[in-house]
Amino acid sequence: MSFWEELGPEEYWVMINTIEEAYLNGVISDFLGHSERCGTVWIPGTDEEAIKELIPRFRRVVRDLIDRDLVEIREPCNAIFDDAPELGDIEIDDVLADPGTWLKAPGSVNRMVMLMPTERADRLISR
């Protein structure tokens, strides 16, 4: 069984976003999205209430992937992952608990928390 086949649907979308070195505030909308034009264009979901309902589930998934040494998160102020300090366990939990980490809502405080694969994830993906 391949690395990708072992992942649940939520884990799959987090890992896709991780490989893309994307932001957590787009993960759930990608998960809720759909394809158009024979699957060539991906349209993210925009239902803010649906996103809010999924935050607890995705918070647990991301924390689990971090604990399994597959994902790392940081909050750079300049969009450069390596320029941001590593987060400790308490900081990770605080970041994941903040709804602003998960939402791209106009008029609210949106955190720009980036996902990055770990070396372990890179090895498992490239098998």
Side-chain angles (χ1 to χ4, degrees):
M1 184 178 284
S2 77
F3 171 78
W4 295 103
E5 293 170 321
E6 294 178 18
L7 299 175
E10 295 89 349
E11 292 171 318
Y12 177 86
W13 281 107
V14 171
M15 289 307 301
I16 290 293
N17 278 265
T18 300
I19 289 169
E20 294 173 350
E21 299 175 12
Y23 293 95
L24 274 174
N25 64 13
V27 171
I28 299 174
S29 61
D30 281 354
F31 177 76
L32 293 172
H34 64 280
S35 61
E36 288 189 356
R37 288 189 261 148
C38 301
T40 59
V41 176
W42 189 257
I43 309 296
T46 58
D47 183 342
E48 189 173 324
E49 289 308 311
I51 291 170
K52 286 179 181 177
E53 288 178 21
L54 290 173
I55 290 172
R57 192 157 103 197
F58 274 84
R59 182 175 61 227
R60 288 188 300 272
V61 167
V62 171
R63 183 67 218 198
D64 180 61
L65 291 170
I66 290 169
D67 290 344
R68 290 166 44 199
D69 191 30
L70 297 171
V71 170
E72 184 179 354
I73 62 171
R74 293 188 191 177
E75 192 170 11
C77 61
N78 61 359
I80 300 173
F81 188 84
D82 289 336
D83 285 354
E86 291 183 26
L87 302 175
D89 281 338
I90 293 171
E91 293 167 311
I92 289 170
D93 291 337
D94 289 345
V95 166
L96 294 177
D98 183 351
T101 298
W102 302 97
L103 299 169
K104 290 182 188 176
S108 65
V109 177
N110 300 306
R111 296 181 80 164
M112 300 305 290
V113 179
M114 292 181 78
L115 291 154
M116 185 70 71
T118 63
E119 289 180 19
R120 179 173 184 264
D122 287 337
R123 284 192 309 273
L124 291 170
I125 291 166
S126 65
R127 284 186 185 171

